[in-house]
Amino acid sequence: MSVAMVTGASRGLGRALAGELAARGWDLVLSARGAGALKEAAAELEQAAGVRVRAVAGDVSSAEHRAALVAAARELGGLDLLVNNAGVLGAEPLVPLAVHPLDGLREAFEVNVVGPLGLLQEGLPLLRASEAGAVLNISSDAAVVAYATWGAYGATKAAGDLMSGVLAVEEPGLRVWWADPGSMRTRMMAAAEPGEDLAGLPAPEEVAPVLLRLVAERLPSGRYTADGLAAGRTDGER
């Protein structure tokens, strides 16, 4: 069976992506900070889909945690897909750059940029050994649009986008996708802008199968959006 690793998998988009992958027969290594919620999600997926799931609680900014995740993948037989989904805002609710806490910015870069790169480095030998090795980095439109109060978070996503593009050049044997899921009805979005009405936004469970077109069809490396994929675009957005 194919093996996928999904970070930030206890809720939101990460949980939805893990559920979609499990339904398609993928074995999973799941990561999240909250051990209880992660264990519950893993048990539900194992029971519902009959796949092997390894839940490894921890923070992707920790080198020890990243090593433990890759060790769990190795025990399952390898690593075919790395989904870097875990992320933090840097400030909750979001605030203008003029008053953004620098400690929050540092944490956001550690979790949103350094952690994914470290996990990629740790798992790269397994990804290279896979016949269909792939990396899916979750991006945001805040990486490419200057939204007020989203500057710090957007900066981390812009950095992730650039690193994804460079990785695609440096590792032509892999598929590397950086994908913007769009605004969703999630706890993170509610924390970012508490006064906003999220009722009209899609749930992560609606977005996950759209993003996984990248995996199912093994589309070319590049930047994609959920809206573009839903509309049938298959050439990425550069």
Side-chain angles (χ1 to χ4, degrees):
M1 285 188 178
S2 297
V3 178
M5 182 184 298
V6 183
T7 65
S10 62
R11 57 184 172 87
L13 181 61
R15 173 65 177 81
L17 288 168
E20 280 291 324
L21 288 164
R24 302 176 191 198
W26 287 70
D27 290 331
L28 299 171
V29 177
L30 305 182
S31 164
R33 288 176 170 180
L38 183 65
K39 183 177 180 180
E40 181 179 340
E44 289 176 358
L45 292 173
E46 279 189 321
Q47 183 174 9
V51 296
R52 298 177 296 168
V53 182
R54 300 290 182 267
V56 185
D59 192 317
V60 294
S61 65
S62 162
E64 290 183 357
H65 178 60
R66 297 193 297 263
L69 288 172
V70 174
R74 190 175 290 110
E75 290 174 3
L76 290 178
L79 182 60
D80 304 286
L81 172 65
L82 169 60
V83 181
N84 281 313
N85 167 75
V88 298
L89 292 168
E92 296 183 9
L94 296 176
V95 295
L97 289 174
V99 294
H100 198 288
L102 296 184
D103 285 345
L105 178 63
R106 291 186 186 97
E107 181 193 18
F109 269 96
E110 285 290 335
V111 174
N112 301 355
V113 182
V114 178
L117 177 58
L119 191 52
L120 180 279
Q121 290 175 341
E122 191 80 28
L124 193 53
L126 297 181
L127 289 166
R128 285 171 172 164
S130 169
E131 292 183 0
V135 180
L136 172 56
N137 291 325
I138 300 302
S139 184
S140 167
D141 60 347
V144 295
V145 180
Y147 295 120
T149 74
W150 286 85
Y153 176 79
T156 68
K157 290 301 182 178
D161 280 9
L162 181 58
M163 289 201 307
S164 298
V166 172
L167 179 66
V169 173
E170 294 176 342
E171 297 289 335
L174 303 180
R175 286 289 193 273
V176 183
W177 308 295
W178 48 113
D180 168 18
S183 297
M184 296 175 289
R185 199 164 62 248
T186 63
R187 189 183 304 178
M188 175 179 274
M189 191 64 183
E193 298 181 332
E196 292 296 312
D197 181 4
L198 308 184
L201 298 180
E205 291 75 16
E206 299 174 72
V207 177
V210 177
L211 293 183
L212 287 182
R213 277 195 60 203
L214 296 165
V215 179
E217 299 175 29
R218 198 160 170 79
L219 297 181
S221 295
R223 189 179 198 279
Y224 293 81
T225 68
D227 285 348
L229 288 166
R233 287 199 61 170
T234 59
D235 58 346
E237 298 184 358
R238 296 176 176 83

